[in-house]
Amino acid sequence: MSDDGAATCQRSLDHRDSPGTLTINQLLLESRIGLERVHASDLEREMAAGALVVDTRPVDQRERDGDLPGAVVIDRNVLEWRLDPSSPHRLPIAGDPARRIVVVCNEGYSSSLAAHTLQRLGLTRATDLIGGFQAWAALRKQSG
């Protein structure tokens, strides 16, 4: 293939040439539009009010950094099946679609995408933790 052909092929793969295609940053911004994101300083209050806090961090991050007290651990790859009230694989704690759900990842990026997906499944009060576990841990370290 000539250099011109390679350039043409590359341009056809460019996201700007594909209607409806987003960059990850655009997708992240779009996902956060409908989220009432939670600050680390408010997480304890959310839990006390009955929110289900879901830690989606991989096992290696949890082993390295520790657990999030009071959170339910659900692997990211099965999150939707475990929380969708219509799923036969849902957890018993996931029966109320109106329950507040706060998804926590390591730094607050994949949790935004996950919370948005949960909202699309009808869990309208799903959201995430700004800055993720690292923000919560930094606040805890600063406080104590």
Side-chain angles (χ1 to χ4, degrees):
M1 184 181 293
S2 71
D3 288 340
D4 291 340
T8 301
C9 182
Q10 183 61 36
R11 278 195 303 274
S12 70
L13 297 176
D14 190 331
H15 72 275
R16 293 170 291 199
D17 294 337
S18 302
T21 301
L22 302 174
T23 66
I24 187 58
N25 288 331
Q26 292 169 325
L27 182 60
L28 191 59
L29 288 172
E30 180 182 281
S31 295
R32 288 178 173 168
I33 289 171
L35 302 179
E36 294 177 11
R37 301 183 77 211
V38 175
H39 289 272
S41 59
D42 295 327
L43 187 60
E44 191 173 316
R45 180 183 53 78
E46 291 279 348
M47 289 174 132
L52 174 62
V53 177
V54 179
D55 187 347
T56 61
R57 293 176 300 141
V59 67
D60 62 316
Q61 289 178 353
R62 293 192 315 270
E63 287 174 352
R64 181 190 68 209
D65 297 332
D67 292 329
L68 180 58
V72 173
V73 174
I74 302 176
D75 290 339
R76 176 64 190 97
N77 66 321
V78 295
L79 181 70
E80 291 82 1
W81 286 270
R82 298 297 184 256
L83 295 182
D84 178 358
S86 71
S87 172
H89 306 288
R90 79 175 184 282
L91 297 173
I93 57 173
D96 181 4
R99 186 174 187 186
R100 176 79 150 172
I101 298 171
V102 180
V103 182
V104 180
C105 67
N106 195 49
E107 294 183 346
Y109 295 100
S110 66
S111 58
S112 294
L113 300 172
H116 175 73
T117 301
L118 292 176
Q119 284 188 348
R120 295 199 59 205
L121 291 174
L123 301 165
T124 58
R125 296 187 64 214
T127 190
D128 75 321
L129 185 66
I130 298 169
F133 180 86
Q134 295 303 320
W136 175 84
L139 180 67
R140 187 173 177 196
K141 185 176 182 180
Q142 183 182 27
S143 299

